[in-house]
Amino acid sequence: EPEVTQTPSHQVTQMGQEVILRCVPISNHLYFYWYRQILGQKVEFLVSFYNNEISEKSEIFDDQFSVERPDGSNFTLKIRSTKLEDSAMYFCASRETAANQPQHFGDGTRLSIL
Amino acid sequence: SQQGEEDPQALSIQEGENATMNCSYKTSINNLQWYRQNSGRGLVHLILIRSNEREKHSGRLRVTLDTSKKSSSLLITASRAADTASYFCATDKADNFNKFYFGSGTKLNVKP
């Protein structure tokens, strides 16, 4: 069964550094998402992306964050100047069509900011 | 807030017993989804139930949806130790299918 893949599985970065998290969504999917989960807390929506543009973003997704689909397969989340509170699991998800279809999640990238 | 909330927060049962988890939400939805998360892993999609559906089954899983009460339940029958995980419900909003809201989850422990 096709899967969403995320790399790296664990990223350790110094505070203030830029980090790029990578995702390869399922190939025929059109909608892409990033979520984060701070340890012990609920999964929080960050951003949704369709047709090469952001379709929805949360209050968390401020100017420090950006997303890009640089080619036909990758979907990236960039955090420009990381803060300690950015430490979390970051999950990518994709969905085939719009409403009433499940999202398929990757295994996540654990981001640790030192 | 649209966020769903599951209860109980934690549930411990013996293998073979049934486990029931509940989810409540606040606004009209297009669909509600249930996910499982094993420790340190990603979210695995279990079932999606649309707002015009009342019940769905998948193997040992049964999901109900009551839109008048804005609630859903997930029943796992004949539980196994491998069912030990956290279970989350996720909802969108009726006028916006692009944003999803997760609850805090129910941590299920199935004892062998």
Side-chain angles (χ1 to χ4, degrees), chain B residues 22-43:
Chain B
N22 302 296
C23 168
S24 60
Y25 58 92
K26 294 185 178 176
T27 67
S28 297
I29 60 173
N30 291 304
N31 63 69
L32 183 145
Q33 304 177 50
W34 283 92
Y35 290 85
R36 185 186 76 230
Q37 185 181 36
N38 290 86
S39 182
R41 301 298 304 275
L43 294 138

Side-chain angles (χ1 to χ4, degrees), chain B residues 22-92:
Chain B
N22 302 296
C23 168
S24 60
Y25 58 92
K26 294 185 178 176
T27 67
S28 297
I29 60 173
N30 291 304
N31 63 69
L32 183 145
Q33 304 177 50
W34 283 92
Y35 290 85
R36 185 186 76 230
Q37 185 181 36
N38 290 86
S39 182
R41 301 298 304 275
L43 294 138
V44 175
H45 179 260
L46 297 176
I47 287 187
L48 180 151
I49 186 164
R50 302 181 186 195
S51 59
N52 61 355
E53 296 175 313
R54 291 296 164 258
E55 189 171 310
K56 279 188 91 166
H57 297 253
S58 176
R60 294 183 296 112
L61 306 180
R62 173 177 167 252
V63 167
T64 62
L65 179 65
D66 186 336
T67 52
S68 67
K69 294 181 180 176
K70 294 186 171 58
S71 67
S72 174
S73 68
L74 170 67
L75 168 67
I76 303 174
T77 60
S79 63
R80 304 166 183 166
D83 295 327
T84 294
S86 291
Y87 291 82
F88 297 88
C89 67
T91 59
D92 61 4

Side-chain angles (χ1 to χ4, degrees), chain A residues 66-86:
Chain A
S66 62
V67 289
E68 196 177 34
R69 189 155 163 81
D71 52 42
S73 59
N74 290 285
F75 179 51
T76 62
L77 173 69
K78 182 192 289 186
I79 308 174
R80 260 178 273 283
S81 178
T82 50
K83 304 187 273 271
L84 292 176
E85 54 264 37
D86 294 327

